[in-house]
Amino acid sequence: MRRKGFDQYCGLARALELIGERWALLIIRELLAHPGRYTDLLEELPGIPTNVLSTRLKELEEAGIVERRIAPAPQRGVLYVLTKDGESLEGAVLALALWGNGQLGDYQSEDRVPPSSLALALRATFNREAASELTASWEIRAGRAALHAVVTDGHLTSGTGPAPSEPDLVITVPGDAVPPYREIMRAIKSGEVELSGPPSLLDTFALVFTPPAAQ
């Protein structure tokens, strides 16, 4: 059952009516990183009941935030994809995630790191000034996760999964578990990674994905 409206003429109240239900923002996080099938979302959101996932997807569709598309060959079935309104939530999701990072506490080895959160971290830390006029692509492999970051004339496209075409540099972070973003960046900046491609692009990656205030 949908939560009762707040009866307020307020943008925040309306946003909460549309995306404030439990799991809704995490579904949006996953779809910001990559369009997904129902089974993909179930896998990437451990703990979500199947009926809740179905309900949230239906609510987000009705709100014009998510839409269904037929998966292109060779895939089969239905993909859930964000609409333009859904994609416009990226800034708000990134802001909430950055605020939440300060509330996480210390990372424990048993903690699960969602690959989608790493893809969004690339967007949150992207230094547009440093990437001006740059064209380069990277694939980052960390545990079972694969991420890609493609910069074309200074514009970033990032997400989960392998790079859409042959990347200029593949960066492999050692270890079996998916580490948090700060650990990936620490390994990259200290050179504790395996490379396939021009080593100079590792320094470029570290520069481009460090916010100006942190340099």
Side-chain angles (χ1 to χ4, degrees):
M1 181 181 295
R2 289 291 291 166
R3 184 188 333 192
K4 184 179 179 181
F6 293 106
D7 295 326
Q8 298 179 24
Y9 190 76
C10 165
L12 179 59
R14 181 57 179 154
L16 288 174
E17 289 169 358
L18 295 174
I19 62 171
E21 295 285 2
R22 183 172 172 82
W23 293 101
L25 279 174
L26 295 185
I27 292 170
I28 292 168
R29 180 198 68 193
E30 293 301 317
L31 297 180
L32 280 169
H34 201 283
R37 292 169 294 191
Y38 180 87
T39 52
D40 298 328
L41 293 169
L42 270 181
E43 181 179 352
E44 294 300 332
L45 294 169
I48 187 171
T50 55
N51 64 316
V52 172
L53 177 57
S54 298
T55 299
R56 294 292 169 269
L57 286 170
K58 181 179 180 182
E59 291 168 351
L60 292 170
E61 282 188 81
E62 291 174 348
I65 294 168
V66 169
E67 64 183 9
R68 301 186 192 196
R69 293 183 187 170
I70 301 300
Q75 300 181 48
R76 294 182 179 179
V78 173
L79 281 179
Y80 288 94
V81 181
L82 292 175
T83 63
K84 288 186 178 180
D85 277 348
E87 290 174 348
S88 70
L89 286 165
E90 179 176 317
V93 172
L94 291 180
L96 278 171
L98 287 171
W99 181 84
N101 282 344
Q103 318 299 318
L104 281 175
D106 294 333
Y107 170 71
Q108 305 297 324
S109 59
E110 65 272 15
D111 289 338
R112 182 183 182 277
V113 179
S116 59
S117 71
L118 302 178
L120 295 190
L122 289 171
R123 301 179 196 179
T125 59
F126 181 59
N127 186 333
R128 289 174 175 77
E129 182 178 350
S132 178
E133 300 183 4
L134 174 69
T135 293
S137 59
W138 298 267
E139 183 173 305
I140 305 97
R141 301 171 183 172
R144 67 178 184 84
L147 316 166
H148 61 269
V150 180
V151 179
T152 306
D153 292 330
H155 298 282
L156 172 67
T157 301
S158 69
T160 56
S165 58
E166 187 70 23
D168 297 320
L169 179 66
V170 176
I171 304 169
T172 301
V173 181
D176 297 327
V178 180
Y181 184 72
R182 63 176 177 267
E183 289 300 312
I184 292 176
M185 293 305 296
R186 183 200 62 76
I188 286 172
K189 291 179 179 181
S190 63
E192 300 172 17
V193 292
E194 299 175 7
L195 304 178
S196 177
S200 62
L201 282 177
L202 186 68
D203 292 335
T204 304
F205 182 92
L207 176 66
V208 168
F209 292 98
T210 298
Q215 293 181 353

